[in-house]
């Protein structure tokens, strides 16, 4: 960032604000209000904008409405609110992992451990504020010529897909399929989460170059990749939504199997331990190649220009193997569901 001109710095700050910070803030606000709407039934505020009119509890007892809305409304609200902080749990886990594997850790003092515990609790409880803080800090460092930690911003997106936006979309679609009439705030929640998922999916392919690309170049690449990602996202999230609506919490089992297999595939293609672990759940929602989260968050997302031929071949092979597995696995799940349903 030290070689940027003043105009380049301002341009990069605007990119961080418009394409990263603002979408995250809107997503958190929509998700939080949507969760409160489930819990408190803010009908007077939102029913004016409801697609189904003022009757929020409309449902009919057909095979497509296997649950009653009122019996699950509180659970939906709590889960929707918890999803806003679940990426913080992952960041806390990575902090603990790096702390335990650090050769500089000294066992004679409890202070580092207590400091780590305090940091992890703050990450979990105040994760949205942590995201905003890191983005603002990156903007400040860009303007002052410091280390902007741009890769950290990309890592936020990856964990958002796995632990917040992806499950949030499945949850909201599940409530609609169950019979909950979607107010406008729920539609905003769906759209903002889908925006995050699509944006991160494209960034998985562009990598660290995303901050250096021009506006036209970035959008041309986006348009080129968009059809591939949209169809992949619809198929994967659609499968999870259908199965979640009918087998409920048992959906954890096929998701766990899928994540383990993809993690093994990533490990076989020479991904690092944490990179392979996160590649598993990422591929539940999008086509992702995993990430290098093992070096303090910000020494990763290598660009195509510095990527070795071996690393690129491993990445391409992982794409083919993981995509083929997810396709076959989801088709088997859907086929088994249809067979059982009929």
């Amino acid at each position: 960032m030290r070689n940027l001109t003043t105009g380049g710095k301002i341009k990069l700050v605007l990119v961080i604000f418009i394409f990263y910070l603002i979408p995250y803030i809107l997503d958190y606000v929509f998700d939080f209000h949507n969760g409160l709407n489930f819990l408190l039934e803010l009908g007077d505020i939102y029913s004016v904008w409801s697609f189904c009119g003022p009757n929020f509890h409309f449902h009919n007892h057909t095979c497509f409405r296997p649950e009653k809305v009122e019996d699950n409304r509180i659970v939906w609200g709590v889960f929707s609110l918890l999803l806003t902080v679940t990426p913080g749990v992952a960041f806390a886990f990575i902090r603990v992992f790096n702390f335990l594997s650090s050769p500089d850790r000294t066992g004679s003092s409890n202070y580092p451990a207590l400091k780590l515990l305090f940091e992890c609790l703050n990450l979990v409880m105040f994760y949205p504020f942590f995201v905003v803080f890191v983005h603002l800090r990156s903007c400040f460092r860009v303007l002052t010529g410091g280390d902007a930690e741009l890769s950290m911003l990309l890592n936020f997106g990856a964990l958002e897909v796995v632990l917040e936006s992806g499950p949030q979309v499945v949850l909201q679609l599940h409530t609609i399929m169950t019979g909950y009439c979607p107010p406008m705030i729920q539609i905003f929640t769906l759209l903002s989460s889908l925006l995050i998922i699509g944006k991160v999916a494209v960034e998985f392919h562009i990598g660290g170059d995303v901050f250096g690309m021009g506006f036209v170049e970035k959008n041309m690449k986006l348009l080129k990749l968009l059809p591939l990602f949209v169809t992949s996202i619809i198929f994967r999230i659609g499968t999870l939504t259908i199965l979640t609506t009918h087998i409920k919490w048992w959906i954890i089992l096929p998701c766990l199997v899928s994540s383990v297999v993809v993690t093994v595939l990533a490990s076989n293609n020479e991904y690092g331990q944490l990179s392979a672990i996160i590649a598993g759940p990422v591929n539940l929602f999008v086509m992702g190649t995993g990430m290098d989260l093992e070096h303090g968050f910000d020494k990763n997302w290598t660009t195509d220009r510095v990527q070795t031929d071996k690393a690129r071949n491993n990445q391409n092979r992982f794409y083919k193997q993981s995509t083929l597995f997810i396709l076959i696995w989801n088709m088997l799940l859907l086929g088994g569901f249809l067979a059982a349903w009929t």
Side-chain angles (χ1 to χ4, degrees):
M1 295 301 105
R2 299 181 186 276
N3 297 325
L4 289 177
T5 62
T6 301
K9 292 178 180 179
I10 295 175
K11 178 182 176 182
L12 183 55
V13 168
L14 290 176
V15 168
I16 294 174
F17 257 93
I18 296 174
F19 293 102
Y20 293 88
L21 181 57
I22 292 178
Y24 284 139
I25 291 177
L26 291 176
D27 188 52
Y28 292 139
V29 170
F30 291 148
D31 292 349
F32 184 77
H33 278 278
N34 186 59
L36 289 181
N37 187 41
F38 280 126
L39 293 175
L40 304 179
E41 294 188 276
L42 305 175
D44 293 338
I45 298 177
Y46 298 107
S47 61
V48 176
W49 303 98
S50 172
F51 287 108
C52 299
N55 185 4
F56 264 51
H57 295 298
F58 172 81
H59 64 278
N60 58 53
H61 301 284
T62 69
C63 58
F64 293 104
R65 307 295 200 270
E67 302 169 344
K68 293 182 179 179
V69 168
E70 191 61 30
D71 294 340
N72 298 276
R73 180 173 54 81
I74 301 300
V75 176
W76 294 339
V78 171
F79 191 43
S80 183
L81 291 175
L82 287 178
L83 285 175
T84 60
V85 298
T86 48
V89 178
F91 270 105
F93 165 76
I94 295 170
R95 286 280 175 89
V96 172
F97 181 89
N98 288 333
F99 174 79
L100 295 177
S101 59
S102 173
D104 299 329
R105 183 170 59 92
T106 59
S108 58
S109 174
N110 291 327
Y111 174 73
L114 291 176
K115 181 181 178 182
L116 176 67
L117 177 62
F118 180 75
E119 290 179 355
C120 291
L121 289 176
N122 284 331
L123 275 173
V124 175
M125 293 188 297
F126 305 108
Y127 176 74
F129 298 98
F130 173 68
V131 173
V132 173
F133 167 74
V134 172
H135 281 76
L136 293 178
R137 184 180 64 186
S138 295
C139 292
F140 174 77
R141 290 181 175 179
V142 168
L143 294 176
T144 57
D147 182 8
E149 295 182 328
L150 297 180
S151 293
M152 180 75 160
L153 309 187
L154 299 177
N155 290 338
F156 279 133
L159 293 180
E160 284 287 322
V161 168
V162 177
L163 298 171
E164 204 279 327
S165 296
Q168 194 74 254
V169 170
V170 173
L171 172 64
Q172 305 312 321
L173 292 176
H174 163 69
T175 64
I176 295 172
M177 290 181 66
T178 299
Y180 187 79
C181 295
M184 201 63 187
I185 189 64
Q186 189 174 14
I187 301 301
F188 286 152
T189 297
L190 273 170
L191 293 177
S192 64
S193 296
L194 286 171
L195 173 64
I196 296 293
I197 294 173
K199 183 176 76 72
V200 173
V202 174
E203 288 171 352
F204 267 124
H205 287 263
I206 298 178
D209 281 338
V210 67
F211 293 105
M213 284 184 169
F215 181 81
V216 175
E217 181 185 5
K218 184 187 302 181
N219 282 277
M220 289 300 295
K221 193 156 190 174
L222 173 65
L223 292 174
K224 180 180 179 180
L225 296 172
L226 193 60
L228 173 66
F229 286 114
V230 168
T231 53
S232 171
I233 291 170
I234 291 175
F235 176 66
R236 299 184 188 206
I237 291 182
T239 300
L240 292 175
T241 302
I242 292 173
L243 294 176
T244 300
T245 301
H246 292 274
I247 68 176
K248 305 180 180 108
W249 293 105
W250 290 104
I251 188 64
I252 295 175
L253 293 180
C255 288
L256 181 61
V257 172
S258 175
S259 297
V260 170
V261 173
V262 173
T263 296
V264 172
L265 292 175
S267 180
N268 291 340
N269 285 287
E270 301 184 17
Y271 281 93
Q273 187 174 12
L274 278 177
S275 307
I277 290 174
I278 200 172
V282 160
N283 277 268
L284 290 173
F285 306 102
V286 298
M287 291 187 299
T289 58
M291 299 159 15
D292 182 7
L293 291 172
E294 294 157 346
H295 301 91
F297 303 110
D298 56 350
K299 298 178 179 63
N300 39 71
W301 289 89
T302 55
T303 65
D304 289 338
R305 287 190 296 271
V306 301
Q307 200 175 30
T308 64
D309 290 338
K310 182 179 180 181
R312 190 178 297 109
N313 290 334
N314 288 339
Q315 177 178 295
N316 293 338
R317 185 165 59 250
F318 170 73
Y319 262 123
K320 295 176 183 178
Q321 294 174 352
S322 61
T323 302
L324 182 61
F325 165 74
I326 292 294
L327 174 64
I328 296 174
W329 179 245
N330 283 357
M331 290 181 64
L332 288 175
L333 292 174
L334 288 174
F337 164 72
L338 291 175
W341 186 42
T342 55

